[in-house]
Amino acid sequence: DRDGTLRLQMPAGETPGPGDVLVRRRLRTVDLRGRRHIEIRDIAVYGGMIDLSEGAGQNLISGVTSFHGNHTAGIADSHHSGSRSVFIQGDENTIERCEIAYGSGTGIWVEGRGNRILNNRIHDFNTLGNYDAPLALRRPGSHTLVKGNTIFHGGRDGVQFFHKHAEFAYNDVYRSNLIVHDCAPIYTVGGPFHGEIHHNWFHDVQGRNEKLYKAAGIYLDNSPVGFLVHHNVVWNTQWASLQMNLNADDIQIYNNTFWNGSEVNGWWRPKVGEFPDLKEDTRFGDVKQWNNLGYGDHWDPQTDQRNNLSLEGDPFVDFENRDFRPRPGSPAIDAGVVIEGINDDFVGEAPDVGAYEAGAEPWRAGIDWDPEAGPAGHGDYGLLPDGARL
């Protein structure tokens, strides 16, 4: 009401019990705006944002549980809601070993230079289905390191990757596309970005129905430029494992495993008259695809292809337990070409095709801690109803 009274009407006229109704009292639970060299460790916050904006720098957020840090009930009037659970707008900040979960906007929004997002569990964001995401690396931003995170349940993309000279490595990203289509676990547009995407798992994405089916794995949209993509595993995608559109250029796709998607590669290169304001036909420039393992034989004919391999059946040591090394006798073993700095530590006579090397220790993606125990070993601090934890 105008006098500041909040009124609540429960279904069927029920009366809520003690503690059944929670009301947000503040926009921020951790306020580091403009501050530097501060560490926040091993606490839980609920119902407000962790704010590292206005030039905040060299701060550390570690072992923190943040639930419902943002929410907006209205319709956003732009591509983004402006609602974030963690907001970074400074340099050399670190978010590590945290659980950031539940919100209608973005989980972690990153701007600035040299920020690090490490070993976090980030999930259940963007219930509006716009251009928010569980993790959004947005302009202006550069030299960001995103490593060892588990990211899932996004209304649109899992990760938006728009920083220059950024590295995205050893992350497990899945179950995006929950509301809209034409998106992916990791999504970007344009460039040049000079970004590296390597040793990640991207998997299990579906569109909403047969018409809204566009759930890709790695999505380099509309004239992407400047990406090195290697040693990723993409599986169980309703659309293409790798989708690239318009005038892609300066892209290197090496030693990836693309498995059980509708097709290995998808592309969209409209001609004059097929797309508004297009003055010449679109085509790919310098796009290399070497040593990739695919399910089916749908490789983009405008890419430089070397030593790619298409197989059927189950060629892995243990697919269900995510040991994606080629099993003994697989034609993928020693079938690759040497690429300096990418696979020159191979075992055997030559590099294997795909993201894993037979005879080498298999790498894994995602967090290295028990989500049931929580990042600081205190579970969910009793902040969630029984059975609500994902």
Side-chain angles (χ1 to χ4, degrees):
D1 291 345
R2 292 182 179 180
D3 64 359
T5 302
L6 176 65
R7 304 182 186 277
L8 172 68
Q9 181 174 347
M10 299 291 289
E14 298 172 355
T15 300
D20 286 349
V21 179
L22 301 178
V23 180
R24 177 175 180 157
R25 297 185 60 187
R26 59 187 63 83
L27 295 178
R28 297 173 180 87
T29 51
V30 176
D31 187 355
L32 297 183
R33 287 176 293 176
R35 296 187 168 100
R36 305 180 68 84
H37 305 289
I38 295 175
E39 296 186 4
I40 307 293
R41 293 180 179 271
D42 300 347
I43 63 171
V45 295
Y46 190 95
M49 175 173 60
I50 299 172
D51 194 345
L52 295 90
S53 64
E54 301 179 12
Q58 297 178 308
N59 299 296
L60 172 66
I61 307 294
S62 178
V64 171
T65 295
S66 169
F67 292 155
H68 297 285
N70 76 79
H71 187 72
T72 176
I75 298 174
D77 59 1
S78 70
H79 291 93
H80 309 284
S81 67
S83 184
R84 301 120 183 194
S85 285
V86 179
F87 184 24
I88 301 175
Q89 196 182 44
D91 300 337
E92 299 181 18
N93 298 286
T94 299
I95 311 294
E96 69 173 14
R97 199 183 173 91
C98 295
E99 181 166 15
I100 313 295
Y102 312 115
S104 58
T106 287
I108 304 178
W109 179 287
V110 187
E111 301 175 14
R113 180 184 175 92
N115 294 294
R116 294 150 48 97
I117 310 299
L118 311 175
N119 198 20
N120 303 286
R121 192 170 189 254
I122 312 164
H123 61 94
D124 289 271
F125 285 99
N126 193 16
T127 56
L128 295 176
N130 60 3
Y131 282 89
D132 290 315
L135 174 62
L137 309 185
R138 302 296 305 191
R139 300 181 181 93
S142 70
H143 297 86
T144 308
L145 175 61
V146 180
K147 186 175 181 180
N149 302 279
T150 296
I151 303 169
F152 60 96
H153 289 176
R156 189 178 178 91
D157 307 299
V159 176
Q160 295 203 332
F161 192 80
F162 292 89
H163 282 187
K164 294 184 176 181
H165 303 286
E167 181 181 357
F168 191 87
Y170 295 96
N171 302 287
D172 182 12
V173 191
Y174 58 97
R175 296 292 185 195
S176 59
N177 301 68
L178 295 181
I179 295 176
V180 296
H181 76 138
D182 200 14
C183 42
I186 188 166
Y187 176 88
T188 189
V189 174
F193 288 109
H194 309 293
E196 184 174 4
I197 301 169
H198 69 93
H199 293 91
N200 302 286
W201 293 340
F202 302 112
H203 58 101
D204 294 302
V205 287
Q206 296 286 319
R208 292 176 59 190
N209 52 49
E210 292 181 358
K211 292 184 178 180
L212 302 179
Y213 67 92
K214 293 182 178 180
I218 299 172
Y219 199 161
L220 310 181
D221 200 3
N222 292 358
S223 300
V225 179
F227 289 98
L228 172 60
V229 180
H230 66 94
H231 290 96
N232 302 285
V233 184
V234 181
W235 74 94
N236 293 351
T237 61
Q238 188 176 22
W239 201 23
S241 297
L242 171 67
Q243 179 73 28
M244 293 184 286
N245 293 337
L246 297 179
N247 297 299
D249 196 17
D250 186 22
I251 295 176
Q252 303 163 77
I253 312 293
Y254 300 144
N255 280 96
N256 299 281
T257 296
F258 301 131
W259 205 254
N260 197 28
S262 64
E263 51 199 18
V264 176
N265 292 169
W267 57 88
W268 178 56
R269 290 187 289 264
K271 299 180 181 298
V272 172
E274 297 177 348
F275 191 65
D277 302 322
L278 197 64
K279 294 180 172 54
E280 60 182 17
D281 295 348
T282 54
R283 62 176 295 106
F284 284 4
D286 180 16
V287 180
K288 299 181 176 69
Q289 290 202 92
W290 300 359
N291 299 342
N292 299 291
L293 177 62
Y295 180 89
D297 194 15
H298 195 257
W299 304 94
D300 191 324
Q302 283 195 9
T303 62
D304 173 9
Q305 299 177 34
R306 303 185 191 180
N307 297 72
N308 297 315
L309 182 64
S310 296
L311 296 175
E312 296 182 356
D314 181 1
F316 306 110
V317 169
D318 190 347
F319 180 86
E320 293 300 322
N321 289 304
R322 302 185 181 183
D323 188 342
F324 299 106
R325 291 176 296 179
R327 65 175 54 182
S330 169
I333 295 175
D334 296 342
V337 62
V338 177
I339 306 169
E340 184 177 356
I342 299 296
N343 61 9
D344 44 13
D345 59 348
F346 61 87
V347 177
E349 298 181 2
D352 296 348
V353 168
Y356 284 78
E357 182 78 12
E361 185 69 20
W363 55 267
R364 296 190 66 82
I367 60 173
D368 64 6
W369 46 275
D370 179 6
E372 290 297 322
H378 302 301
D380 62 15
Y381 293 87
L383 294 172
L384 299 177
D386 290 342
R389 189 174 183 83
L390 299 173

